[in-house]
Structures are given as structure tokens and as C-alpha cells.
Amino acid sequence: MENSKLHRLTYKSDALFSGQLIDRGKPVHFTLNSRAYKGFSGDSVLSAILGSGVDTIGKKFDEEIALTPNFCPPVMDTSDPGAKVEIVPMNRMPALEGMQLFSPVFKGQDNGEWKKPFHLPFISRGRSLKYEWNGSEAFLDFYAGDVGDPVKEVENFDLVVVGGGVAGLGAAKAAIELGWRVALIEQRAKLGGDAVFFGAIEGEKRPKDFIENLLGEMQKHDRLRIFLNAKAYSLNNNNVLVHQVSSKNNTLATRRLCLNAKHIILATGLLERPPIFCGNRLPGVMGARTAFDLAADYGLWNGQSSAFSTASSVATQVALLASDMGIIIEKLVDSRASPKSRFFEFSKAYGISLATGTQVSSCQSQQQKKLLVQFELSSYPSKEVGEALLVDSLIICGGWLPNLNLWIASGGKTKWNEQAKQLQAFGMLENIILTGACAGAASMSECVASGKDAILELAGKKKTAQSFFTIDFEHESRDGELPIAKNKANMAPRYLDMGNSFKQPEKFSKKTLWSKIFSAKQDGKKAEITLGTGYSLVDLTAKITLGEIPEKFAGFFAKERCCVNATLNKLEKTPMEEKLLPPLTTELLPKYLHYRFGEPAEIVELNSEQKGNLEIGCLVYRDQKNIASKYAIGAVIALDFGPDKKILAYINKTKTRDLSSIVIRNGTYFATISI
Amino acid sequence: MQKSDLGFFDFGLAGTSLQAALIAGLLAKEHGKKICFFVEGTLELRLSREINLSFDSFCRPQTWDLLQKSLKETLPIIHKIGGKRAICRINPLILCKSKSNEQAMAHLYHLLRNNDFEIEKLSIKKFPDAIAAFRIRGAHLVRQHILWPKIKAWLKTSGVAVIDSEGMQLVTHRDGSALVKTASGSIAVKRMILADEQAILNYGAQNDVERLFDKCLTSTIITKPAQKSNESLILNSEYRFSARSTPHGGFEVLADVAMDQMGILMGNFVDKDTKFKLLARNSFNNLRSKDGAAVVGKPSVSSAWMVGGFGYLGLFFSPSIARYICQKPNAAEQQYFVSHSANFKRKTQNIADFRSFLSGQL
């Protein structure tokens, strides 16, 4: 494509990177913000735009930011004036023929505003969507709960499984066999999760066969309902709120529904964390799993030459697959000192230039959309090694952590595992169980076994011994620690995550950081902002690894601040709302008036001629001389009491014995009333 | 006194609030006592569970009389510890949703206005979901995130031993002394003070707690920036709801409701059209006094002291409370705290105050 690096890989029927979700024989044309784009049937709007050569969302503080599935704007289709407008994230909106899409502009914080993209007509589109914002957080974290009507559609099941990977499929299968009605929710367009990406270990079947074997007879079962393209965005007691996007006859259809179940399985898999270096969110830099998914699902790859930087063996497989498609792998660096992996051995056979104990030091944009990548030793950050490399794209992988977002949202506890350097779930929740990779399972067979075990536990049955294949760490090294490069002046920022939060490492040392946040000289406003911002789990993990947040805070911090996709949403007309209704009646003499004016005090009826200028609460005095509250001898408690609409006052009668009238004060107005 | 690993102290105080911290520091600094303060070690990065404001829906004039005097003493202390930015002046909006709350606010309005307190009644035309609205002018609001770290530093320079309360167990003795067991070791104190509701909930004797307090659930959230609000602080007494605008454009909210009810309150009191998104959230068990009034003192001879039920005002009463604990109150303080005693002589009919609607939810 003109001025672009992102392109569709040549189709090969037997290749994994074939774009299995798209139909290249059915092109689709649509516009976004009045710019024309082309894709294929099966594309999402994002993948079609990426395939059109646009890989940049815009600029944040004058630095370009990559457009990726982790960070992309919401869009809405205005092609049918009569249809209800639905705002859907770009990566979940299907690309349909004739769509006229617009991306809503949201205001930013710190008075930073998103600037509406401006395109000159008839000028080449370039590679950017041209958004600009200067706030400290992005506002593109739209998700299903933001707009639209409250959830009205409710379906009931015995079990809801969130996650259609092998663990979720294993759990669903076991539940079906017990006679349960099961709902299986998967946010992608296909089942299987990341099984193909992580691959099989020795002894296991191929992932494709594994998944087909699991699905087998199950998908024909009328007790199983599968919801694809469905994102679970909230979990509330026994209710899972889901947003589903689909298309039928070239028409967009969205549903917001509540799946109610006695039991819930969370098989939400893993989150990818990026290595931390300057420029880790520049256009052309992409996570290994993201690159894999774009290539496998949509046949997309960025450029003709790529470099890889990884702390995990699985990213090496991506390099091999890309090489099979004709991509030149300039270099693959692994931050681990002596990694063992079959993929690493294959890479040597492929002739890929390899380096261990090495990580990316920095990445800079260059002319003609190239990236200049500098490397350094992992054990001596800032000690650069080798020549800087000029490539089209940089594929990175900093390791994995369990996706515990819904677990935390449900009240599940977490704590930091120092050995694994990740936040892990612990404890129990009633009727919600974590299973699969997010619960620590490492292989496909172990994931399936954990799914089955979860069902047995929920059913109150005894777990049976299951066999599964485990990773042999003698021959397959564990993931390395998070690669962290130091900050460098005049370069793009280092980000902790590749999503919506845009958190960066603090600029100062650990000691100075704590004194910066909590010392007497710290500006209070900055402290509030620092403490008042949200975090993703990847941010939190990075902050703990960097030593900026102590480990002992991890569980609390995650519970309180990792609120990804949380809104103050509610189902319509829940019993909870009725509990909030205050009582309809009030007491004539509430308890806070008892003994207030001394004893004996009683309720007295007063002449009501002047009640138009009086109010409940007006204080009663002996005269107009001493009118501070402490001299009050009573108060008005009712203005229209009884059929005669009398004024009632609660007065200390001993203080009125010598009086023929009293004074009621309403601010500067005084009413003298005979008694 | 029993054996103690970490020494003997005149007073042990437990609490998570600024009120508790200030009482601890004043007991040490002003009254020369040897103090041990048991506080959560994770407090700095936790969401705030309190609001410290010189206004709350107390309808008894004695409370306001004492507050007016206490403010003159407490404000300079807070300024000295936390600096000028530790306190700001604010004009909170008070909204009433129920008849009982409207009635209480009506009485409070006249009580305060007749004392030249700056309070005004507003037209409800601007607030369609409320049945009454008031504004307080010039209330003092403490910025917790500024004061907390500075007060911790001040405690240390005042000679207070600050101990992480994680895993803490309290054993009280007949003579009123106590042994506190923590992860750091055991500490013997002559008197134990549970200096706020969290401490009372966690360590108070169950029958005393049940006699004096109702348990409830309190939720706290920080929202993402939304439609800019003209109000810096919105209050509602019946749900103990407070929504403070934050510097980054969102709201910091506290209320005695479950998390899934927060949306309803935000819609009622802040903005019904905005879908508020969360930056942070937490729910925790809490206590509210059964009669709506403050609770001070020992429920029985062998109990730990309890200090609770002061609502938003507690921090400002800290010097008075510290004097009362040391048996050096002035006449007004003596009268006030004796009438609000935690023991069986407490005459609720003399001091009962406005109770929030959801007291007793749990």
C-alpha cells in the first residue's frame, strides 16, 4: 500500500498466518471520518484499517502512538439515519459494506482535549488517524457499558463460562456431561483462545485437533449456548453482563444481555506485558500475541523486515511463522541469559540472527516509517550492544500475567507471588472459580483438566485424578523477568502497558519517589492525581517490579484501583433499589429535639395568623433581645397541623410562665405570638 | 502488667483515621504521655475511608458550641503539621431526598443561622431530584492525602511509636490495661483507646459494639473525569453521601451503601445523565452510632475506650478528646463528653441526633 508498511500477507492455504477469518473474495468498502477504506468480509473495522496501511492512532504530547487492538477508538455507523446508533470499539465492530463510520471525540482530563481528526480532502490518507491528546490518561477506554439502555435481556443458566479457550471448553464439556445448561462467552470470533499461539507441548495433540476434540459433540448439544464476539464487561453476584456484536445480512446487530447463573467459571487466560523501553508504543511496535492474532485472523503483518525482543519462548514461534511467510527477521533477542526452547533451536536452523541476555534499549521512528532499534545487555542496562537495527516492525514480549480483571471485580483476592513476579488469585469466592491459564495452568491438557476440576468442585463432587502434560522446564525455560530499559532523554516515553492507561515509570529513584509522593514538600495536588488515577493489572505488575509500589500493597491496590471496564451500572428495577427508598413518614417530634430545650417541654398549639412567614425549625424565644440559638426556648415543629392548620411548637413551658407572648425568629423576621 | 516485648505505654491507640492519629499525637506532645499508635501499614495507598469537614448533620446545639471552640484550637495545629494546603475552605451543597432529612436540615438551618453560621437555603428548581437544598459557606475541608503523610511524620517526631496493626489482637484486663499482640511483638498499655469506628469494629467487645452501634456497609469510589461539576462538594445526610470534585476532574465519593447502589446515588445527587466510570473503588464494614450521637469513653471498667460517632467533625474535636482522655477537660468538654459517655449511664434521650437512613443495613 502507498505510504504504508502494514499489508496483507500472501495467502497460503496451509499457513497459519493465512487470515482465517476473512474472505479475500468479498471486498468491503466503508468510510471512517469521511475517509474511504477497504477491507474484506470477516474483517473488523480495525483490521480493515490496519490492512489499509493505517498503523497510527495519532499523537500524545507530540509523540506518535500505535493503533492496535489494545488501543483503538470507538466508532459508530451513521449510514442508516433511521437506525439506532451504537458505539462499538473499532476492534469489535465488523467491517460491513457501505458503513459510514464516525469516531466520537471525548474530552480529556487535565484540560487536555481530544482534537477531532482533520483531513484535507483529496490528500493521501497517510498512516495516521490523526487524533491528538495531551491528557495524562486516554479516553478511548470505551466499552459496552458506556452508552445505551440498561440491560433488559436476561437469560438463565446453570453455568456461565467466561472464556472460550481450552480451559473454558473443558469446563463447559464437563458441565454438559453433568446435565447443566451452559453459556460459553468468547470475545473473539472463534473458540480456542490462545491455544494455537502458545502451542502444544511434547506429547500433546496439535492445538487445532485439541480444540476440535473438545468441541466435538458438545457444540450440537441444546444445553450449550455459545456467544461469540461477546465481551463480559461486568460481573455482579450471579449475573454476567455481556455485550455482543454481530452482523447479519450486512447489518450490524448488538446485544447487551445479562446471563444469570448459579455458577460462574472465569477462564480468562493471560495478559501480555510489554518490555519497558523508550518508544515501546510507537507505530510499528507490537506485542507478540497481537502480531500473531492479526496475522492468523486477518493475514496482516507490519512491513517486510522485523526484529523480535522477547522474555518468553512463545514469541520465538511467531518469528518462525513470520519467516515462513517471507518476512525478513533481522534479529531476535531474548532477555534471558541462556534460554532453552525448541523454538530457539528452530530459529538457529532458520538462520535467524539470535542474541541472548539482550533486550531493547530504545526504539525511535525514522524516515520512511522505519524503526531504529538499539539493544543493550539485560544484566547491564544502558550498556548498548551491537549496531542499531533499522526495521519495519519490532515485535515484543515481556511475559505474561493472569487476566484477573473479572475475578477482582467480583471481590476476589489477589497477592503478589515474588517467585513468579506476578499477581495471583488466592482464596475463594462463592460459586465463582478461576480456571485455566489465569489460575496457573501451563499446558493445554492442564488447562482442560483444571476446567473439569472446577466443575467437579462447583458440583460438590470429589475430584478424580487426571493426567495432563506438563512443561519440562529442563528443556523449555520459564519466562524471564520483565525487561526494563532506562529512560533516555529526547526519546518517546516508556509505557508500562499498551492499553488505555498510559502509565509510565516514575522518573526518580525508589527512595526519592516515596519522598516525592509523601514528603512534606510534595505538592498536594500532584499527590491527589497520582493517587487518584486508575491502573491496569499490567501497570500494577510493572510498578511492583520497578519497586514503585511495595509488594504488600499489591492485593489491596488491585482490589481498589484495577477497575478496568467498571462503571456504576445497574440492572433495571433490582430489589436493591427498593432498599434505598427512605421512609415516607416523619416523626412530629424527632429524637434530636428531645430534651433540647430542657424539661419540662411540651408541644403547644399556636395562633397561626403569621405562619406564612415561618418555617419548620424556626426557633422560639422569650423576646427579641437575646436571639442567639442558646437562648431559644423552643422550636416550630409543624405549620399546618390538624384540620385547623395550626402551628405546633415544642417549648419549655417553665420559661413562658411569666409571658403573654413569645417571639419566633425566621432570620431577620420576628413573629410575636400570644400564648 | 504483663510481659511486653516492645515496652510499656501509657496509652495504646488503634485507628485508621486522621482523628485517631491526631489524638495520639496530642496525647504525646501536649500531655507528655507515652503513646503507641496501631495503624494499617497500607493506609497511604488505600482509598480514603473518611471525610474531615467542619460541617455535619448534628442537630444538637452543644455539638456546635463545642465545635466552634475546638476549631479555633485545631485549625492552627493542622496548619502547623500539614502546611497551608492541608485545609481548604469550601462551600458544600447539601441535598435532601427524604422528608426526615428535610426536617432535620430545617432545624439545623435555623440553629446555625441564628448563631451567624453561614448557611443558606437554596431553591430546589436547580435540583429536581431533591426536596430541599442548602449551602454552607466557608466550611473547612481537610485534604487527607496531604495531611496523612505529614501527620505520620509528626507522630514520629512527637515520640509516638507507630506500629503496623496487621494481625493485631487485643486482650483487655479488668484494671483497664491491655496487651496488644502484633506481628512486631506484644505491647502492654495502661489504657487502650479504640479511636475511631474501624478500630471499634475490629477490636471492640462485641456486646458493647452491638449496644452502641449499628453495622453498615460503606463504599468509596473515585470516578474518572466526567462532565465538569460546578460543585466542589455535595452532601446528603441520609446516606452519609459525600461527593468531592477531585483535581483530575472526577469525584471522590463516600456513602453508606453497597457498591452496586452507588450508581443510583450518583444519579440522584450528582448527575443523572452521566455514566460514571470508576478509577478506584472499595467497600468496607463500618459502624454508625445507634442514637446518631458521638460515643466517647469506656463502656465498662475493663473495656477499651471508644471514640466514635463524630461523623465528619471528629478530627476537629481531637484536642478536646485528648484532654478528656487525660482527665483535663474544661467544663464544657466535661459536660459534653460525660453526656455522650459509652457506658450504661448514657442518656440517649438527652443527646440523640439525626440518624442516617441506612444505619443498621447489615
Side-chain angles (χ1 to χ4, degrees):
Chain A
M1 294 291 296
E2 181 185 5
N3 288 333
S4 77
K5 298 185 303 174
L6 266 163
H7 64 284
R8 304 275 181 180
L9 297 164
T10 306
Y11 176 75
K12 289 182 187 175
S13 60
D14 58 342
L16 201 52
F17 286 179
S18 58
Q20 57 186 282
L21 293 184
I22 60 171
D23 183 347
R24 297 184 195 230
K26 292 182 183 172
V28 160
H29 303 84
F30 60 93
T31 62
L32 169 64
N33 297 335
S34 304
R35 286 262 158 180
Y37 294 92
K38 179 191 159 188
F40 298 103
S41 172
D43 259 328
S44 66
V45 168
L46 173 68
S47 62
I49 285 174
L50 291 172
S52 300
V54 177
D55 66 354
T56 304
I57 190 167
K59 287 187 179 179
K60 178 172 160 40
F61 289 120
D62 295 328
E63 291 289 349
E64 289 192 322
I65 300 291
L67 176 68
T68 68
N70 292 329
F71 187 65
C72 56
V75 290
M76 55 186 181
D77 183 20
T78 58
S79 55
D80 183 353
K84 190 180 160 194
V85 169
E86 283 275 2
I87 302 180
V88 178
M90 189 187 268
N91 61 325
R92 297 184 57 224
M93 173 75 95
L96 301 175
E97 179 66 34
M99 269 180 154
Q100 293 171 18
L101 299 168
F102 282 95
S103 188
V105 176
F106 296 96
K107 279 209 174 168
Q109 69 179 21
D110 296 334
N111 298 317
E113 270 203 38
W114 280 96
K115 289 184 190 172
K116 198 171 176 180
F118 174 71
H119 302 285
L120 286 171
F122 309 116
I123 301 293
S124 172
R125 101 169 46 83
R127 66 192 287 210
S128 174
L129 292 179
K130 295 192 188 312
Y131 285 91
E132 291 179 25
W133 78 106
N134 295 322
S136 55
E137 275 198 22
F139 285 83
L140 298 186
D141 59 345
F142 166 83
Y143 58 91
D146 266 16
V147 294
D149 300 325
V151 177
K152 290 181 183 175
E153 211 178 320
V154 180
E155 294 192 38
N156 298 301
F157 295 89
D158 297 310
L159 172 75
V160 171
V161 179
V162 181
V166 292
L169 289 171
K173 190 176 179 203
I176 297 282
E177 286 165 2
L178 286 179
W180 291 5
R181 285 193 64 240
V182 179
L184 178 67
I185 304 166
E186 167 54 48
Q187 63 177 342
R188 298 183 213 194
K190 60 185 200 293
L191 294 171
D194 292 319
V196 177
F197 173 69
F198 284 103
I201 63 170
E202 196 172 330
E204 288 181 331
K205 289 181 191 170
R206 290 185 316 163
K208 192 180 168 195
D209 298 333
F210 209 98
I211 294 163
E212 277 173 12
N213 191 40
L214 274 172
L215 271 174
E217 294 295 314
M218 183 171 69
Q219 54 189 338
K220 295 178 198 168
H221 229 293
D222 59 2
R223 284 204 294 274
L224 174 67
R225 287 276 306 280
I226 298 175
F227 297 85
L228 294 178
N229 293 308
K231 189 171 175 69
Y233 63 90
S234 181
L235 211 165
N236 180 2
N237 297 327
N238 292 61
N239 300 311
V240 181
L241 301 185
V242 174
H243 180 248
Q244 186 179 37
V245 183
S246 58
S247 62
K248 203 174 178 183
N249 300 327
N250 203 51
T251 305
L252 177 70
T254 63
R255 290 167 79 190
R256 206 169 273 103
L257 60 153
C258 168
L259 304 182
N260 175 277
K262 197 178 165 195
H263 306 296
I264 296 170
I265 295 269
L266 299 178
T268 42
L270 301 172
L271 296 169
E272 185 172 19
R273 62 183 186 190
I276 299 171
F277 56 86
C278 286
N280 62 353
R281 291 192 68 164
L282 285 173
V285 182
M286 196 174 284
R289 185 170 63 183
T290 302
F292 177 92
D293 287 341
L294 286 175
D297 292 342
Y298 305 109
L300 289 168
W301 194 265
N302 201 336
Q304 300 296 334
S305 65
S306 299
F308 278 70
S309 171
T310 182
S312 171
S313 302
V314 69
T316 314
Q317 189 196 197
V318 182
L320 300 172
L321 292 167
S323 181
D324 283 341
M325 301 302 288
I327 303 298
I328 300 166
I329 310 299
E330 299 281 2
K331 189 162 190 162
L332 189 149
V333 303
D334 195 312
S335 60
R336 296 170 292 181
S338 308
K340 289 178 195 162
S341 159
R342 62 194 186 284
F343 298 126
F344 216 68
E345 298 308 314
F346 293 154
S347 297
K348 290 177 189 171
Y350 270 55
I352 294 173
S353 170
L354 301 169
T356 58
T358 307
Q359 62 190 34
V360 172
S361 171
S362 65
C363 179
Q364 294 173 270
S365 291
Q366 299 292 292
Q367 299 282 354
Q368 302 191 349
K369 284 81 178 176
K370 295 275 190 193
L371 294 172
L372 185 69
V373 185
Q374 181 63 60
F375 301 96
E376 64 186 21
L377 293 178
S378 308
S379 49
Y380 293 99
S382 294
K383 189 170 171 59
E384 290 180 348
V385 288
E387 296 272 329
L389 213 54
L390 208 59
V391 289
D392 291 330
S393 59
L394 174 62
I395 311 300
I396 58 177
C397 180
W400 310 93
L401 48 125
N403 184 351
L404 301 175
N405 285 314
L406 283 177
W407 170 258
I408 293 167
S410 317
K413 291 183 183 172
T414 57
K415 65 180 176 187
W416 183 254
N417 181 316
E418 174 56 27
Q419 198 183 10
K421 292 273 191 273
Q422 57 179 222
L423 201 67
Q424 293 180 342
F426 81 97
M428 294 173 61
L429 283 175
E430 196 181 344
N431 297 329
I432 299 177
I433 292 191
L434 275 173
T435 187
C438 62
S443 64
M444 285 192 297
S445 49
E446 191 178 356
C447 282
V448 172
S450 80
K452 285 181 186 168
D453 277 346
I455 296 301
L456 291 172
E457 188 175 333
L458 289 173
K461 290 179 185 288
K462 198 176 166 185
K463 290 181 193 177
T464 54
Q466 298 189 72
S467 64
F468 49 81
F469 295 95
T470 53
I471 296 176
D472 177 6
F473 291 111
E474 283 277 322
H475 297 103
E476 290 286 340
S477 299
R478 293 177 195 276
D479 291 349
E481 292 194 1
L482 177 64
I484 301 172
K486 291 192 177 171
N487 192 35
K488 292 169 180 64
N490 303 318
M491 287 201 190
R494 300 177 297 164
Y495 291 108
L496 303 184
D497 192 6
M498 299 181 94
N500 302 311
S501 61
F502 284 89
K503 290 278 184 297
Q504 298 178 44
E506 294 294 333
K507 293 193 174 86
F508 305 101
S509 69
K510 200 195 307 188
K511 185 181 172 185
T512 319
L513 168 71
W514 284 116
S515 63
K516 264 282 183 181
I517 291 180
F518 297 122
S519 77
K521 293 177 187 170
Q522 174 65 6
D523 178 67
K525 185 172 176 181
K526 189 178 173 189
E528 282 219 39
I529 292 172
T530 304
L531 294 170
T533 52
Y535 288 73
S536 69
L537 284 178
V538 177
D539 290 326
L540 176 59
T541 303
K543 286 278 185 185
I544 294 171
T545 307
L546 285 161
E548 293 173 12
I549 292 176
E551 291 165 26
K552 67 175 181 176
F553 286 86
F556 294 117
F557 210 92
K559 178 188 166 196
E560 291 187 358
R561 295 188 185 267
C562 294
C563 299
V564 175
N565 295 346
T567 53
L568 294 174
N569 235 342
K570 59 184 177 76
L571 296 174
E572 273 194 336
K573 292 178 187 160
T574 65
M576 286 305 234
E577 286 189 51
E578 291 169 7
K579 273 191 182 179
L580 277 183
L581 294 174
L584 295 173
T585 56
T586 55
E587 296 172 288
L588 189 60
L589 192 69
K591 291 186 174 57
Y592 47 83
L593 289 181
H594 293 190
Y595 288 85
R596 178 170 156 192
F597 304 105
E599 285 295 296
E602 58 186 53
I603 298 173
V604 171
E605 283 186 10
L606 297 174
N607 186 324
S608 56
E609 278 174 9
Q610 299 181 65
K611 75 176 173 191
N613 296 312
L614 300 178
E615 298 171 345
I616 290 174
C618 284
L619 293 174
V620 180
Y621 298 89
R622 287 173 55 85
D623 51 48
Q624 288 194 40
K625 289 179 198 166
N626 296 306
I627 51 170
S629 294
K630 67 181 179 183
Y631 299 109
I633 59 170
V636 172
I637 59 172
L639 286 173
D640 288 304
F641 185 78
D644 298 328
K645 308 283 184 198
K646 292 280 189 181
I647 298 175
L648 293 186
Y650 182 61
I651 301 177
N652 185 330
K653 285 284 278 188
T654 58
K655 298 192 177 167
T656 61
R657 281 199 191 121
D658 58 328
L659 300 176
S660 60
S661 63
I662 48 145
V663 169
I664 301 179
R665 178 186 176 187
N666 184 4
T668 53
Y669 174 80
F670 295 89
T672 302
I673 297 180
S674 308
I675 52 169
Chain B
M1 185 120 20
Q2 285 200 357
K3 183 183 169 186
S4 168
D5 301 324
L6 300 176
F8 298 89
F9 293 83
D10 296 314
F11 292 100
L13 275 92
T16 59
S17 62
L18 285 169
Q19 167 188 298
L22 188 58
I23 295 172
L26 290 171
L27 285 171
K29 203 169 170 75
E30 304 287 324
H31 302 282
K33 302 295 181 187
K34 201 170 172 205
I35 304 296
C36 192
F37 181 44
F38 302 95
V39 65
E40 277 184 32
T42 58
L43 214 52
E44 286 96 26
L45 288 183
R46 301 294 300 272
L47 285 184
S48 181
R49 290 177 237 178
E50 56 175 336
I51 172 171
N52 294 285
L53 178 72
S54 62
F55 173 83
D56 203 341
S57 53
F58 288 96
C59 297
R60 295 272 179 184
Q62 307 90 296
T63 303
W64 292 98
D65 291 339
L66 191 60
L67 177 68
Q68 275 190 309
K69 293 175 187 130
S70 298
L71 268 176
K72 288 177 190 164
E73 185 180 2
T74 314
L75 290 175
I77 295 173
I78 296 173
H79 275 129
K80 199 172 174 188
I81 297 170
K84 282 183 188 173
R85 290 187 54 81
I87 301 186
C88 61
R89 302 298 293 269
I90 202 166
N91 302 324
L93 170 69
I94 295 128
L95 297 175
C96 302
K97 197 97 173 111
S98 67
K99 282 286 181 192
S100 59
N101 193 14
E102 182 193 19
Q103 183 187 40
M105 277 305 302
H107 283 286
L108 183 57
Y109 168 71
H110 287 281
L111 165 64
L112 294 179
R113 201 168 71 150
N114 289 5
N115 272 1
D116 300 322
F117 198 94
E118 288 193 65
I119 179 169
E120 61 184 277
K121 196 182 275 191
L122 304 176
S123 164
I124 57 168
K125 282 180 189 169
K126 282 187 201 172
F127 313 105
D129 288 317
I131 61 172
F134 300 85
R135 187 175 303 285
I136 309 293
R137 297 275 174 203
H140 294 89
L141 177 71
V142 173
R143 292 196 175 109
Q144 262 118 231
H145 293 123
I146 296 180
L147 187 57
W148 249 121
K150 292 179 183 178
I151 212 171
K152 272 194 139 181
W154 172 75
L155 286 173
K156 288 185 179 154
T157 58
S158 303
V160 173
V162 179
I163 307 278
D164 190 336
S165 63
E166 189 180 354
M168 176 177 141
Q169 289 177 322
L170 177 65
V171 179
T172 52
H173 306 300
R174 279 195 178 179
D175 62 354
S177 65
L179 186 70
V180 184
K181 295 175 187 172
T182 69
S184 313
S186 58
I187 296 139
V189 299
K190 285 182 192 166
R191 293 280 180 272
M192 187 66 199
I193 299 166
L194 306 176
D196 56 33
E197 286 85 349
Q198 289 299 302
I200 297 169
L201 179 66
N202 292 332
Y203 310 113
Q206 194 180 355
N207 51 345
D208 291 330
V209 174
E210 285 174 2
R211 177 172 62 84
L212 293 163
F213 295 94
D214 288 318
K215 285 185 188 171
C216 67
L217 191 67
T218 299
S219 296
T220 172
I221 62 173
I222 298 178
T223 70
K224 289 190 177 180
Q227 198 114 6
K228 198 169 178 191
S229 170
N230 294 326
E231 299 293 340
S232 47
L233 180 64
I234 301 169
L235 301 175
N236 165 268
S237 306
E238 59 222 301
Y239 302 105
R240 301 295 300 165
F241 175 89
S242 64
R244 183 179 69 86
S245 294
T246 60
H248 64 267
F251 288 95
E252 188 171 9
V253 185
L254 270 167
D256 283 356
V257 292
M259 188 60 68
D260 55 5
Q261 294 166 321
M262 272 292 212
I264 302 167
L265 295 192
M266 291 296 282
N268 272 289
F269 298 124
V270 181
D271 183 6
K272 77 165 66 170
D273 295 322
T274 299
K275 292 251 178 182
F276 290 97
K277 289 169 65 174
L278 299 180
L279 279 179
R281 62 175 173 201
N282 189 24
S283 288
F284 54 95
N285 292 334
N286 208 346
L287 294 176
R288 298 290 173 217
S289 66
K290 274 195 190 306
D291 55 17
V295 176
V296 184
K298 293 172 56 163
S300 63
V301 171
S302 59
S303 302
W305 269 67
M306 288 185 181
V307 178
F310 283 96
Y312 305 152
L313 308 179
L315 177 67
F316 305 106
F317 285 121
S318 300
S320 302
I321 296 168
R323 277 193 288 275
Y324 185 60
I325 291 170
C326 293
Q327 299 176 336
K328 296 175 191 171
N330 59 38
E333 289 166 354
Q334 173 77 6
Q335 192 178 17
Y336 185 84
F337 291 131
V338 165
S339 65
H340 287 77
S341 172
N343 67 26
F344 284 96
K345 294 178 186 171
R346 177 183 178 94
K347 286 183 182 165
T348 281
Q349 70 271 25
N350 289 356
I351 57 164
D353 221 307
F354 177 74
R355 284 186 63 214
S356 53
F357 170 59
L358 288 180
S359 290
Q361 175 85 344
L362 292 186

